[in-house]
Amino acid sequence: MEKTVNQKAWFLVLPVLLLVAFSAVIPLMTVVNYSVQDTFGNNQFFWAGLEWFSEMLDSDRMWDALGRQLMFSCIILAIEVPLGIFVALNMPKSGVWSSLCLVLMSLPLLIPWNVVGTIWQIFGRVDIGLLGYTLDALGIDYNYTQDTLAAWITIVVMDVWHWTSLVALLAFAGLKSIPDAYYQAAKIDQASRWKVFRYIELPKMTGVLMIAILLRFMDSFMIYTEPFVVTGGGPGNATTLLSIDLVKMALGQFDLGPAAAFSLMYFLVILLISWVFYTVMTTLDKREG
Amino acid sequence: MSDATQTPVTFTAKKRKARINSSAVVMTLYLLFLLLPIYWLLNMSLKTNTEILNSFTLFPRNLTFANYATILTDPAWYLGYVNSLIYVTMNTVISLAVALPAAYAFSRYHFMGDKHLFFWLLTNRMAPPAVFALPFFQLYSSVGLFDTHIAVALAHCLFNVPLAVWILEGFMRGVPKEIDETAYLDGYGFGRFFVKIFMPLIASGIGVAAFFCFMFSWVELLLSRTLTTVDAKPIAAIMTRTQGASGVDWGVLAAAGILTIVPGALVIYFVRNYIAKGFALGRV
């Protein structure tokens, strides 16, 4: 749509600007403040320069958390994206069943995150959980509070359970926008099922899939509540992802300086991903318009 | 992708049936995977603690609603729901009120710095709550709003206002600009035009934005827990309290969990076609 230049539009965005400035800029400035100062208590602060940053960059703690975080995000993307596409391809296209699938698939998306954690914490317990009990009965040694691998599998399966539907719903929306004529043309050309998918469905889905991948990457990158409720970051530090580590540092130990430096670097990564996301979005908008 | 579809020369009735069935099997398995954990929670919420801990049963043998009764009669429990509902509602109203005019501006006009502002809003939607937990705690303590509903509502604006702006903008761009121009020619002022003509046109968009604001505020725990202690404590934070000295009260915990799923489950049918659009910030 052709937009007109109108500087008065600023008055319309002013409330948003003020509100978000209050809830984002002021807190962020506090973080910046802490990241360059040191304190001995009593609200006395000293200039520390970039000391906290270099300390954080030198310490293994942040790099380990970042490594675990990247591993987690990559694993869940590698599972959720193909699985989501596969589910979307098999969804009924219209009618009662389609509605039913949509409703049931959306259900996990609307559950409070700590309840998601609670559900899986209970589900995986060997004594009272269906999953844990079944695995135990099959003779598989499964204990997510002690065993690193079991803990990882639990939080990955939990995330797949929680968010695959989102990828599927987005892919489904992309699929539904394909005109029937495309399929008829493919039928006339005697294209195989794989070729229909590769040359018709996949290209039409790339836009929504990009959105899905970026959203999932971003949201998994700041995941906190669900793994925290299930494993508390353990066993040891095995499932301590970035956010969990940060909260431990800031609210648990009140290490303000390092936590603030950590926050800023974390935020920079998010900023970078946001930029990619924004670019993709605007490109899509242009292609559409 | 079943084998039946590898020969697409002519779909005989039999082959088509096979294909539908394989899809049905995939969907059934997937839905089973989604629903089983929820069923297990429901199952537990209807059992007594003795049954939960001492016998492993796939459905409740002694059906009991005592766990739900505990929650609905104990103020310490049900006030958690009231608190959550209060701040979630406040947040939804605030977010929509400020997002509506802003989304209109973004969808209709070019103005200085509009792209930067739009991007900056997005970064706030993506901001990790963990980064903001401590500064929020200090900010709201210093202005005397700690442990109030409005503090949590304002804190959740961090991600809900950008979300609402993006979703509404996505819906508004679908409304032809000629409508605005005609209304102005007919002598409508901006305010009257916006409320009387424009808002009914994007009613579904407003509904979807409200739903998503409600939902993201409802599911969030880290910020709401950090900003409250007693008076405004959300249900999600109260749930962590069931771990008493005598062990965990599993039945009540499960019942509380089920009750938090209810609000989403009630409205889900009405927004089923917009879930993807809402999550994708109005861009599908």
Side-chain angles (χ1 to χ4, degrees), chain B residues 65-171:
Chain B
F65 291 97
N67 298 320
Y68 289 95
T70 309
I71 290 174
L72 296 174
T73 51
D74 182 359
W77 273 106
Y78 69 74
L79 279 182
Y81 285 99
V82 176
N83 287 334
S84 289
L85 281 174
I86 292 176
Y87 73 69
V88 165
T89 312
M90 278 172 143
N91 171 271
T92 307
V93 173
I94 299 173
S95 301
L96 283 184
V98 298
L100 271 169
Y104 181 77
F106 281 121
S107 75
R108 290 294 188 265
Y109 301 120
H110 273 306
F111 47 95
M112 206 170 57
D114 55 350
K115 291 208 178 72
H116 301 283
L117 195 59
F118 209 43
F119 171 64
W120 177 63
L121 283 177
L122 181 71
T123 62
N124 287 313
R125 155 66 181 81
M126 309 299 185
V131 168
F132 285 88
L134 180 68
F136 271 162
F137 174 74
Q138 295 182 323
L139 175 68
Y140 289 107
S141 302
S142 67
V143 293
L145 284 176
F146 182 68
D147 201 17
T148 56
H149 300 106
I150 191 73
V152 184
L154 284 175
H156 284 176
C157 281
L158 171 72
F159 46 81
N160 269 352
V161 168
L163 181 79
V165 172
W166 273 72
I167 291 179
L168 288 172
E169 202 266 346
F171 276 92

Side-chain angles (χ1 to χ4, degrees), chain B residues 192-209:
Chain B
R192 216 156 69 87
F193 154 73
F194 198 79
V195 176
K196 286 254 157 107
I197 298 178
F198 198 68
M199 275 171 60
L201 280 176
I202 52 153
S204 56
I206 296 176
V208 172

Side-chain angles (χ1 to χ4, degrees), chain B residues 14-64:
Chain B
K14 196 179 163 195
K15 273 173 186 162
R16 175 167 292 178
K17 204 172 175 201
R19 181 175 137 75
I20 289 170
N21 283 344
S22 77
S23 293
V25 169
V26 169
M27 284 317 291
T28 312
L29 285 177
Y30 181 64
L31 291 176
L32 205 64
F33 166 62
L34 292 187
L35 294 181
L36 216 49
I38 302 178
Y39 168 71
W40 197 249
L41 194 72
L42 182 69
N43 179 21
M44 261 178 69
S45 73
L46 296 169
K47 290 183 193 173
T48 57
N49 271 329
T50 348
E51 191 181 344
I52 293 171
L53 291 172
N54 295 334
S55 57
F56 189 84
T57 47
L58 291 175
F59 53 90
R61 291 277 155 75
N62 308 309
L63 194 69
T64 171

Side-chain angles (χ1 to χ4, degrees), chain A residues 1 3-4 6-7 10 16 20 23 34 90 99 110 114-115 122 128 161 165-166 191 215 222 256 285, chain B residues 8 23 30 34 40 44 98 106 109-110 112 124 126 134 136 138 173 177 215 236 260 272 279 283:
Chain A
M1 193 190 313
K3 292 185 193 173
T4 43
N6 182 354
Q7 301 300 344
W10 259 103
V16 163
V20 181
S23 58
Y34 283 133
N90 283 298
S99 293
L110 309 178
N114 69 311
V115 179
I122 291 172
I128 58 171
W161 176 82
S165 293
L166 175 64
L215 272 178
M222 53 199 206
L256 297 183
D285 286 351
Chain B
S23 293
Y30 181 64
L34 292 187
W40 197 249
M44 261 178 69
V98 298
F106 281 121
Y109 301 120
H110 273 306
M112 206 170 57
N124 287 313
M126 309 299 185
L134 180 68
F136 271 162
Q138 295 182 323
R173 66 168 59 215
K177 217 181 160 184
M215 199 202 82
T260 61
R272 66 187 186 283
F279 270 105
R283 290 301 185 286

Side-chain angles (χ1 to χ4, degrees), chain A residues 50-63 245 249 257-263 265:
Chain A
L50 295 177
E51 198 182 299
W52 296 127
F53 288 91
S54 57
E55 189 189 307
M56 284 316 296
L57 286 172
D58 285 339
S59 81
D60 288 338
R61 183 173 173 174
M62 189 182 76
W63 292 114
D245 203 19
M249 209 186 283
F262 188 153
S263 297
M265 289 187 273

